[in-house]
Amino acid sequence: MNARWVGQDVPRVDGLEKVTGAARYTADVKLPRMLHAKVVRSPHPHARVRAVDLGKAARAPGVRAVASGQDFPFHVGIYLKDQTVFATDRVRFVGDAVAAVAAETPEAAEEAAALVEVEYEPLPALLDVRQGILPGAVLVHPQLGSYQKVPWITPEAGTNICNHLKVRKGDYEAALRGAAHVSENTFVVPQVQHVPMEVHVSAARVDLAGKLEVLTSAQSPFTVRHLLCACFNLSHGDVRVSVPQVGGGFGGKAGINLEPIATALALKIPGRWVRLLIDRAEEFYAAVVRQGLVATLVTGVDRQGKVVAQKMHYLWDCGAYGGYGVNVVRAAGYTCGGAYEFPNVCGDSIGVYTNRPVGSAYRGFGMQEIHWALEQQMDMVAHELGQDPVEFRLRNCLGPGKRTVTGQVLDEHAGRVDKCIHKVAEAFRRPLEEKPGLLRGRGLACAVKAPAMPNDAASSVLLKFCEDGVLEVLVSGIDYGQGLRTVAAQFAAEALGLPLHQIRVRNLPDTDLSPYDWQTVASRQTWATGNAVLKAAEKCKAQFFEMASQVLHAPVERLALEGGQVVDRGGQGSVPLTRMVMGYQFPDGHTIGGPVAAAAHHVPEGLLFLDPDTSQSAKPVAKWTFGAQGLEISVDPGTGQIQVDRVVACYDVGKVVNPGLIRGQTFGGVVQGLGTGLMEELKVDALTGRVRNASLVDYKIPTSEDLPGELEAHFVETPQADGPLGARGIGEHTMIPTPAALANALFDACGVRILDMPLTAEKVLRALQAKRAKE
Amino acid sequence: MTIAIQVTVNGQLEALEVEPHESLLGMLRERLDLTGAKEGCNEGECGACVVLLDGRAVNSCLVLAVEANGRAVTTIEGLGHAGALHPLQQAFLEHSAVQCGFCSPGMIMTALGLLNENPTPSEADIRQALSGNLCRCTGYRQIIDAVQAAAAALGAAGQAGRRP
């Protein structure tokens, strides 16, 4: 296909509503006679709940509904149902929901929530993931063995381990014994928060006929519906979930979040809307966070600088509940070797409960965390061997014909990390300018990620023409800024040869009206929905051709779609699409065909489960996206402050669908990566379990002043065999290598190595002082 | 007890009865259904609620509605609309400076406040002016490019410093 729209820098199709203030997010929607909800949350990291007395709260002025675990002891969770709507027997983190109230005003709700009396019996708390796997550790979920789960996760009853993936390839022990050089290091990543600009908000109403409507800021309306039905034992036909504009998610709004609490309150007062809008502090400690990680790596290398043995031990701090996080653990397992070919592998990815905030999906889905370890380790080993880190990476990286840790042999469509490394290394040839009083350095890191999703994760679309020839494209992925609506329009325009202004993407998904989509996660939408749009467009085209064949008296094989018309290539005739969009009427009045419309879906092909003991699988995931980033930094030796001067990013995306959008994904990911690399950390008090920096004053994210001086985005285009026009996912990948590249640049600049994220000025200064003291 | 105030909002005089503790943001969103300004933190740290008060950018979550009495408020809804976009809105579109869009109204109004005071800002001026407006999606690069482009367009059109 000679692309006309795909690959063009077309403006975002939903931009106008966003720059005019017309775009409506969940909290902007006026709901008649809406009640305001407030959640009563545990002040203890771990305690038995002896009693919950809602009496005083229920009698408080303006209160219309109260609910607790006594009314709703129902389990919820996407992969492991380890959480209840409200705590029942025990609370497991500071912020665990115990009860909730709904009142006429936010103030009345807040006052009533303070009147709920909860009798707690504090229990010893588990606040350090390393303690969680020791014998005799405090058990966060004594009932772990009884929870419902999907078959492909393996919780260990009687322990804190909610999932454990083992990767065994070759003979690690023997290979390590034969290694010429061995290096072992332990790396730490703290819990961090997504910090979407729009906090979580969900509203619910049960009408008097029993139908539940939910309006929510979520990444996955159909999954929310499915899980709500399972939780409250409702029919899918009686639940309607719709999602207005979403103000950022980054994984934090994947799966199910506030919806069950809003639903529980709504069930208590049929006929009234109940809205639960949490505040920014709750967003930090009570909404989900990214899991923490302790990673220990052992690398054995031969005399030629080839890695022969690699051990990876990933210990994940899943927090109090692992409903979603268990799949991060799994993804980190089957991707445990990152962008490298390791012939002999011993990998363990272990998810551990603690009494800390709840871990979940976060842009990168475990990959930034493991790359923090892997990409520093590669640098460290290279330096120990006296080799150039770039050459060392090129010698060991994956590529066509190479075998991943699960034994999958990559084919020529898999994407090329070596090309990305070369591109960054090329950009680095420019000499590093001296800056008076500052230490300069540069570092590189690679990245790889596959979509982490069930093997049957589906996206479906509906294309239908309007009377005037405008094509409506219904997609149910969430466009929270990554640009799904725009690329869906580009694919539709491309396939049907229509101008972009004749396409309208309808995308405020509503489970009553919209085609099914599993979830907007895993950098899967451009790929999955893009494929479905192309397929549906072909079906529309077939309908036009069938009509035109009769109108033009020409066989279908002779017809072509050109400039809004079906043309008979073998004759003179043509018929405009606008004459056929509602069916074609002949001069005598008889009509053929009808309104042109088609549905189509995309489901990944040929995915195979992992072997339960070794995780070997010839095709464990749908696709891999590789990339590399290089950073140039300046370090102030007097303060330890790192300034990022230049970032060069390169990814093999298969096909650049929209240059402006992909640059936005790259710049945004890099800066989010600099946030976790330089400044972000959820500070959980080691005694009380409370988050000490639950505000934007104390938890800093990058501002416009933190933007690197130069940002470059480059792309390699090795077509993905099953990608729409060759495209593969990129949304998450852009933040994966940034912190590791930063750490490698720090070492290059001043010879200090910091193994625990983030690289705050304080840590850098201390490391510099310790280094000077040694010298 | 409510307090009667008169505020010019986007050129329209509004007579309202507001609560003493009511924020300007709450007044705009709840009473006037002007939901372009967003609540992101309610403590002046994120900039999602920025509007112009007598031409200057303010965090409307930190301004009491009564403080707006007798003054002029401009929100994103007063800036432009389809077919008649303000050059800043146009530039945000053209430079892919919008992703989820939640911060965009506050970002655009802050940029307008800057251009009102400094029609020819340097990149450093723009970075500093926008540093109180958090954006988690874009990485800021394309936003800064958009503000520069808008400043140039306004300068070329001789409209710099105009106060809506």
Side-chain angles (χ1 to χ4, degrees), chain A residues 677-733:
Chain A
L678 287 169
M679 62 188 88
E680 296 183 39
E681 175 175 9
L682 206 66
K683 294 201 181 288
V684 179
D685 190 281
L687 288 175
T688 64
R690 287 177 196 216
V691 175
R692 287 191 275 129
N693 56 344
S695 78
L696 291 170
V697 181
D698 297 317
Y699 185 108
K700 296 289 185 204
I701 66 169
T703 73
S704 51
E705 301 260 48
D706 299 306
L707 175 64
E710 291 178 67
L711 260 174
E712 296 170 30
H714 304 278
F715 302 100
V716 174
E717 295 184 306
T718 308
Q720 175 74 26
D722 65 351
L725 278 74
R728 61 174 73 87
I730 182 62
E732 297 169 277
H733 306 72

Side-chain angles (χ1 to χ4, degrees), chain A residues 338-378:
Chain A
Y340 302 98
E341 184 184 51
F342 298 134
N344 299 289
V345 171
C346 177
D348 287 276
S349 188
I350 304 167
V352 180
Y353 288 125
T354 61
N355 294 116
R356 293 170 54 106
V358 180
S360 188
Y362 184 121
R363 189 178 197 173
F365 212 66
M367 296 303 113
Q368 190 195 64
E369 300 91 300
I370 68 171
H371 281 74
W372 169 251
L374 287 164
E375 290 296 326
Q376 284 207 71
Q377 177 87 350
M378 292 304 277

